């Protein structure tokens, strides 16, 4: 499912226009992004938690030349699914 399909799904199930669904989705994504940028996490009970992880600097190789390169440390977004989402994927009823 891509963003357009998600917007259509939201609009259909929430009985709102596609434009309103797009604004709601963009606002949600914006809120999650802003919160993660500030170093906080976003918990959606039953769905999961978005958090910021840290990836240490490390040595790597250029795949084209094989030359050794240094890869900088980075912050990376992480998602940990909640119990209800895991149960839904595994056919369990919560």
């Amino acid at each position: 499912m891509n963003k357009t399909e998600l917007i259509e799904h939201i609009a259909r199930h929430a009985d709102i226009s596609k434009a309103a669904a797009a604004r709601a989705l963009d606002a949600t994504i914006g809120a999650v992004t802003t919160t993660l940028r500030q170093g906080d996490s976003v918990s959606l009970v039953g769905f999961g938690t978005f958090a910021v992880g840290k990836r240490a600097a490390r040595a790597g190789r250029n795949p084209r030349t094989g030359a050794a390169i240094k890869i900088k440390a980075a912050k990376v977004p992480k998602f940990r699914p909640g119990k209800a989402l895991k149960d839904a994927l595994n056919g369990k009823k919560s």
Side-chain angles (χ1 to χ4, degrees):
M1 174 179 279
N2 62 30
K3 187 174 179 180
T4 302
E5 292 167 338
L6 182 56
I7 289 169
E8 290 172 0
H9 181 85
I10 292 168
R12 187 170 52 252
H13 285 80
D15 195 26
I16 58 177
S17 70
K18 286 183 186 178
R23 286 192 305 274
L25 181 59
D26 288 340
T28 303
I29 292 169
V32 171
T33 302
T34 300
T35 303
L36 293 178
R37 194 177 292 142
Q38 294 169 351
D40 295 328
S41 63
V42 177
S43 295
L44 303 173
V45 176
F47 182 69
T49 302
F50 295 92
V52 178
K54 294 180 181 170
R55 185 179 297 153
R58 62 196 192 280
R61 295 230 170 253
N62 180 329
R64 212 176 269 176
T65 65
I69 58 172
K70 292 180 183 178
I71 302 171
K72 295 180 182 179
K75 294 178 185 177
V76 293
K78 299 207 174 193
F79 177 74
R80 190 173 66 240
K83 184 178 183 323
L85 179 58
K86 287 183 204 175
D87 288 348
L89 294 176
N90 291 303
K92 298 177 184 176
K93 292 185 180 180
S94 352

